[in-house]
Amino acid sequence: QVQVVESGGGSVQAGGSLRLSCAVSGYTYSRYCMGWFRQAPGKEREGVAAIDSDYGTKYADSVKGRFIISQDNAKDILFLQMNTLKPEDTAMYYCAATSSYCSGDNWFWVWRYNYWGQGTQVTVSS
């Protein structure tokens, strides 16, 4: 059984930084695409950053140059380094994984991700 657990959320002032972690266990597929999504109250869940075992990384335009997605060497912990945070980054952040390929236009299609964590709250104050 695949388990996904996020951590590292919190409250920070605008301009500050946070690093989110996502521990994935029980994942036995040879390939993966793992991503970070966020959802603010009253808004749809949106993709933030993702990494595919074959196709590299992808970032939403809103976070390019500020957020960095990475993994540990064992590929079972996913990180999201968030710098220069803005109040509009405030949301619940979710980690997700799929064995499907992420490429082209489908990187952030929510329905393609099979495994989801419970989320970690990020609040950025102005």
Side-chain angles (χ1 to χ4, degrees):
Q1 182 178 356
V2 177
Q3 291 189 318
V4 179
V5 180
E6 306 96 335
S7 61
S11 297
V12 65
Q13 288 192 325
S17 298
L18 281 174
R19 189 174 83 153
L20 305 183
S21 299
C22 170
V24 181
S25 60
Y27 190 91
T28 59
Y29 299 98
S30 60
R31 70 158 335 279
Y32 59 84
C33 178
M34 291 193 284
W36 288 98
F37 292 76
R38 67 186 181 187
Q39 188 166 19
K43 295 189 176 182
E44 292 187 354
R45 191 167 296 189
E46 63 175 1
V48 175
I51 184 165
D52 184 276
S53 54
D54 296 303
Y55 292 103
T57 59
K58 178 78 170 180
Y59 293 92
D61 288 343
S62 59
V63 305
K64 278 181 183 176
R66 300 189 298 123
F67 291 11
I68 301 171
I69 189 170
S70 63
Q71 296 170 282
D72 70 327
N73 289 337
K75 304 289 192 287
D76 56 3
I77 301 180
L78 186 70
F79 301 102
L80 184 68
Q81 177 66 42
M82 304 186 295
N83 301 319
T84 319
L85 282 160
K86 304 175 181 180
E88 51 263 44
D89 294 319
T90 295
M92 184 71 78
Y93 281 70
Y94 298 91
C95 178
T98 176
S99 58
S100 300
Y101 287 94
C102 286
S103 63
D105 295 333
N106 68 23
W107 283 86
F108 299 136
W109 289 1
V110 171
W111 60 269
R112 298 184 76 253
Y113 287 79
N114 309 98
Y115 310 105
W116 290 84
Q118 294 300 305
T120 185
Q121 178 68 37
V122 171
T123 303
V124 184
S125 58
S126 57

